[in-house]
């Protein structure tokens, strides 16, 4: 890594949690990711979800097809766990190098999770197989329970489900995805070297007030939902701490404008167009730019047992205003748009596309 007043050079980062969707949206949103990230863990919550080896192979192919010429980008595929997932499919997909990991969505916890896991006990044999194979389990860590306040669902998930799961499967490698609470930070830091967590840019920038600033702001609605300020501060400390159990995962989750602005708006924040710049801003504000490379480019591969990237990227200190829309094109015609995170705001760092 190389740091000066106005330039940051780091090993090329990877995104350990990404939603690319499918079809025309995927073709558009893969571009800002492959421009910066060398690899990304691609979430399987499509409609229908990725539950077979063949569907993951086909989806990977469609993604690779959409990557602009000249970008080196490796999508790492995940399989969507359901109550009746077969251990044979997990084994086959992992051993063939198709499934990088499996994703656990508690049923109805978030976007496209209706077919997720209703009862964790139903997947114990699958989890046992994963433990034996060394296949990582990626978890959306929120309970689905109307009696639990939405702001407490992550904390309760850790107590009720994650802790017992780790006790039962001590050799299992687990990533608690997109953590949002001080309790999750503490738990991940102190529990096991086999447990890690991803942290998104938006949870480092916003607290729950953002959703209600001057009105109802669906652009800041995601799951797990942003929490109180003390949690945001804990997440910023964790991300910039140099602790290897915390690494980059954007959870970039594009939704068309009309789906965000409906009477029942979708959860998800699209941050891919400015993700690395957004993280850089946080690390600068925390006076921890020297930790950016480890968080973005080293701790993830170390956890997953992969080599770090040899390529580098460079950011320059050049404030730029984030466009208010990310336009989607079909054929040559603009059709819909997505509002990106930081729309209309100024970020201090810009990717130097000419570097290398
Ligand atoms: C994600 C999506 O839209 O697919 N939404 C979100 O709010 N993060 C799903 C998820 O990761 O929870
Ligand atoms: Zn996600």
């Amino acid at each position: 890594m190389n740091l000066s007043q106005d330039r940051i050079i780091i090993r090329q980062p990877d995104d350990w949690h990404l939603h690319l969707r499918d079809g025309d949206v995927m073709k558009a949103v893969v571009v800002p990711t492959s421009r910066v990230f060398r690899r990304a863990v691609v979430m399987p919550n499509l409609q229908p979800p990725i539950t077979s080896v063949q569907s993951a192979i086909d989806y990977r192919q469609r993604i690779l097809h959409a990557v602009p010429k000249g970008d080196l980008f490796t999508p790492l595929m995940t399989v969507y766990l359901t109550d009746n997932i077969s251990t044979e499919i997990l084994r086959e997909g992992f051993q063939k190098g198709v499934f990088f990991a499996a994703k656990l969505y508690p049923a109805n916890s978030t976007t496209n999770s209706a077919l997720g896991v209703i009862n964790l006990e139903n997947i114990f044999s699958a989890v046992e197989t994963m433990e034996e194979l060394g296949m990582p389990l990626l978890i959306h860590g929120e309970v689905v329970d109307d009696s639990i306040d939405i702001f407490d669902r992550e904390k309760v998930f850790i107590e009720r489900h994650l802790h017992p799961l780790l006790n039962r499967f001590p050799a299992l490698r687990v990533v608690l995805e997109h953590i949002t609470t001080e309790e999750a930070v503490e738990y991940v830091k102190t529990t096991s070297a086999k447990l890690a967590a991803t942290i998104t840019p938006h949870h480092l920038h916003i607290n729950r007030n953002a959703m209600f600033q001057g009105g109802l702001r669906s652009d800041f609605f995601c799951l797990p939902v942003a929490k109180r300020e003390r949690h945001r501060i804990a997440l910023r400390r964790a991300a910039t701490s140099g602790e290897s159990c915390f690494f980059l995962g954007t959870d970039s989750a594009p939704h068309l404008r009309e789906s965000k602005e409906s009477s029942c708006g979708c959860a998800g924040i699209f941050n891919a167009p400015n993700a690395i710049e957004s993280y850089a801003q946080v690390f600068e504000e925390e006076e921890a730019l020297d930790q950016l490379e480890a968080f973005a480019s080293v701790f993830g591969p170390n956890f997953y047992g992969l080599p770090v990237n040899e390529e580098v990227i460079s950011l320059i200190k050049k404030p730029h205003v984030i466009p208010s829309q990310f336009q989607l094109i079909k054929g040559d015609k603009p059709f819909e748009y997505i509002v990106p995170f930081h729309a209309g705001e100024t970020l201090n760092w810009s990717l130097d596309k000419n570097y290398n």
Side-chain angles (χ1 to χ4, degrees):
M1 139 160 234
N2 203 323
L3 259 186
S4 68
Q5 286 284 347
D6 53 7
R7 188 178 282 280
I8 304 169
I9 301 168
I10 56 169
R11 277 181 195 279
Q12 193 174 5
D14 304 297
D15 185 350
W16 300 102
H17 184 127
L18 176 68
H19 299 270
L20 285 176
R21 313 304 189 203
D22 212 343
D24 290 319
V25 172
M26 181 272 282
K27 287 182 194 155
V29 301
V30 75
V31 177
T33 289
S34 69
R35 153 197 97 124
V36 173
F37 295 99
R38 177 66 185 78
R39 299 170 283 205
V41 175
V42 179
M43 291 298 140
N45 61 333
L46 303 183
Q47 270 178 319
I50 302 294
T51 52
S52 71
V53 181
Q54 193 57 45
S55 64
I57 293 173
D58 295 345
Y59 185 33
R60 180 169 66 187
Q61 208 46 41
R62 294 196 294 281
I63 295 168
L64 286 171
H65 225 82
V67 173
K69 282 207 171 46
D71 285 356
L72 279 177
F73 178 67
T74 305
L76 303 167
M77 309 312 287
T78 54
V79 56
Y80 184 108
L81 296 176
T82 63
D83 284 274
N84 43 28
I85 188 86
S86 94
T87 52
E88 287 71 40
I89 289 181
L90 289 180
R91 196 180 288 281
E92 182 197 341
F94 186 71
Q95 287 176 341
K96 281 190 171 157
V98 178
F99 297 153
F100 174 72
K103 180 68 191 279
L104 165 62
Y105 291 103
N108 302 315
S109 56
T110 187
T111 307
N112 297 346
S113 63
L115 301 174
V117 174
I118 296 167
N119 185 344
L120 260 182
E121 285 177 19
N122 294 339
I123 62 161
F124 278 174
S125 62
V127 174
E128 196 176 345
T129 302
M130 293 175 60
E131 183 182 41
E132 173 205 319
L133 292 170
M135 180 179 187
L137 176 66
L138 316 183
I139 300 183
H140 184 105
E142 287 191 287
V143 287
V144 181
D145 180 339
D146 281 342
S147 71
I148 305 294
D149 191 278
I150 189 165
F151 294 101
D152 297 330
R153 288 183 185 177
E154 181 175 276
K155 176 174 156 261
V156 174
F157 182 90
I158 294 171
E159 296 159 2
R160 264 192 210 170
H161 301 298
L162 182 59
H163 193 63
L165 189 80
L166 297 182
N167 283 338
R168 192 180 180 106
F169 302 103
L172 182 70
R173 248 173 327 147
V174 174
V175 180
L176 186 57
E177 298 292 334
H178 41 50
I179 57 169
T180 58
T181 57
E182 198 175 6
E183 289 82 1
V185 166
E186 267 319 296
Y187 188 76
V188 170
K189 205 159 69 177
T190 54
T191 301
S192 150
K194 305 235 174 260
L195 174 67
T198 51
I199 304 181
T200 76
H202 41 280
H203 290 111
L204 296 172
H205 279 277
I206 62 167
N207 63 31
R208 63 192 196 173
N209 289 346
M211 287 180 291
F212 308 102
Q213 209 91 57
L216 197 51
R217 306 282 296 273
S218 57
D219 290 334
F220 299 111
F221 173 53
C222 64
L223 287 167
V225 71
K227 309 291 192 296
R228 285 178 181 277
E229 179 64 1
R230 77 174 163 90
H231 298 291
R232 186 182 77 104
I233 292 170
L235 292 168
R236 286 170 83 103
R237 293 227 174 93
T240 57
S241 65
E243 299 251 16
S244 60
C245 55
F246 301 114
F247 47 81
L248 185 156
T250 64
D251 193 21
S252 178
H255 291 280
L256 300 181
R257 187 75 200 131
E258 61 194 34
S259 339
K260 290 291 285 178
E261 270 187 346
S262 90
S263 62
C264 186
C266 293
I269 294 179
F270 178 51
N271 58 37
N274 307 285
I276 195 68
E277 296 90 333
S278 178
Y279 283 114
Q281 180 124 342
V282 169
F283 279 68
E284 181 177 46
E285 287 164 3
E286 296 294 319
E287 297 180 8
L289 275 175
D290 59 335
Q291 295 297 334
L292 179 64
E293 181 179 58
F295 175 78
S297 319
V298 179
F299 294 155
N302 284 357
F303 179 81
Y304 283 114
L306 296 173
V308 294
N309 297 320
E310 287 308 323
E311 305 84 352
V312 296
I313 62 159
S314 175
L315 298 167
I316 39 174
K317 187 86 173 250
K318 188 171 130 201
H320 68 288
V321 180
I322 309 310
S324 58
Q325 300 181 2
F326 180 89
Q327 188 64 56
L328 303 179
I329 313 279
K330 200 180 204 155
D332 326 317
K333 294 208 174 58
F335 71 110
E336 301 270 7
Y337 68 95
I338 302 167
V339 175
F341 187 46
H342 295 301
E345 294 171 24
T346 301
L347 289 177
N348 291 339
W349 294 90
S350 305
L351 184 76
D352 183 356
K353 295 191 197 77
N354 300 320
Y355 189 81
N356 259 336

